[in-house]
Every structure is written in structure tokens, then in C-alpha cells.
Amino acid sequence: MGSVTFGSGTADDPWILKTPSQTSEYQAWRDAETLFVQVGATRLSYQARGVDDLHAMLTSRGDWVALGAADEGKPVTEGTVEAWARADDNPVGGYYGLRKGYRGRFANYVAPVLERLGLAELEHGPRNNRIRARDAG
């Protein structure tokens, strides 16, 4: 689990994670409804169910999936985690991100959470990283 240093994932003890490329550190924690990400002074928030939904999607694909992280409003590559995380046919019918203008980068910040939880394997190259499901059992 190369992208995590410590933390239990609560607001009082957030995970200290690194982006897949290992270039930026951030904090993440969740409650029943929301996954929070703190990157410097910027706080992003995603539906907490995105963790389980992403794991289910990766399991159904059964192979490596490109992350394709991109800011909201930027184009995404079809077939990537980022494209799925904003698609009309995903389990929530659109963005998992909760704050308009900050709904992108799902793949960049949620993928390391899956790795931390032991639900996925994540590549850690300088760019074009991929993720695949691990068996939850």
C-alpha cells in the first residue's frame, strides 16, 4: 500500500495519502454519507458510496482500468475511472463529487482510498496509472 502513511480515516484521524503518482500528499476521511479530501487549503467531497461503487465496477471489469483523472469541466477519456465517476449510467447517475466546480479528480483521490482499504491494487508511476480490484473477501 504505497500511497498511505497513516491514519484511520476519521475526521479526528484522517488517512494521510499520496496521489497515485506519489507527487502530492493529502488527507481523507469519511462519515456515513461523505468522503472528504483535504488538499492544502482546498476541501473536496464525494459521495462515500463511491468507494464501494468503484470497487464493484472494477470487480465487474476484472482487469486494470486507467484512472484518467481530470478536473471538472475538462474532457475525460472513455473507459477510465474518471469517465465512469461522472457518467449518467453509473450508480448515482452522474458525478460522485458534491461541490460544483470541485467534482472532478475522483480517480486521483478515491483510488488511493481503495488501495488503503485493501480493495484495489494501484499503480504508482509518474502518469497514466491504472487500478484493479482486489477480492474484498
Side-chain angles (χ1 to χ4, degrees):
M1 288 185 268
S3 68
V4 72
T5 54
F6 59 88
S8 64
T10 64
D12 293 333
D13 187 27
W15 294 305
I16 306 301
L17 303 169
K18 287 191 175 185
T19 56
S21 64
Q22 303 287 285
T23 55
S24 298
E25 189 173 276
Y26 66 97
Q27 296 181 4
W29 66 95
R30 66 179 175 179
D31 62 24
E33 302 286 324
T34 308
L35 174 68
F36 298 96
V37 171
Q38 187 75 40
V39 184
T42 303
R43 180 166 297 170
L44 299 96
S45 55
Y46 303 97
Q47 294 180 51
R49 69 173 286 174
V51 171
D52 293 328
D53 289 353
L54 176 55
H55 181 254
M57 182 277 284
L58 294 170
T59 299
S60 73
R61 291 212 188 162
D63 201 359
W64 290 101
V65 177
L67 295 177
D71 290 329
E72 180 180 355
K74 300 278 177 144
V76 294
T77 302
E78 286 305 311
T80 63
V81 169
E82 193 71 34
W84 169 84
R86 35 177 103 178
D88 291 337
D89 62 350
N90 71 26
V92 298
Y95 280 97
Y96 279 88
L98 297 173
R99 184 174 164 211
K100 187 155 176 62
Y102 296 89
R103 298 182 297 184
R105 294 267 170 204
F106 178 91
N108 203 49
Y109 297 121
V110 178
V113 172
L114 265 73
E115 182 182 44
R116 168 65 182 100
L117 296 173
L119 297 173
E121 295 178 66
L122 182 59
E123 294 179 331
H124 296 287
R127 62 179 63 84
N128 301 322
N129 290 302
R130 303 175 303 165
I131 188 171
R132 69 177 170 189
R134 280 193 158 149
D135 185 5

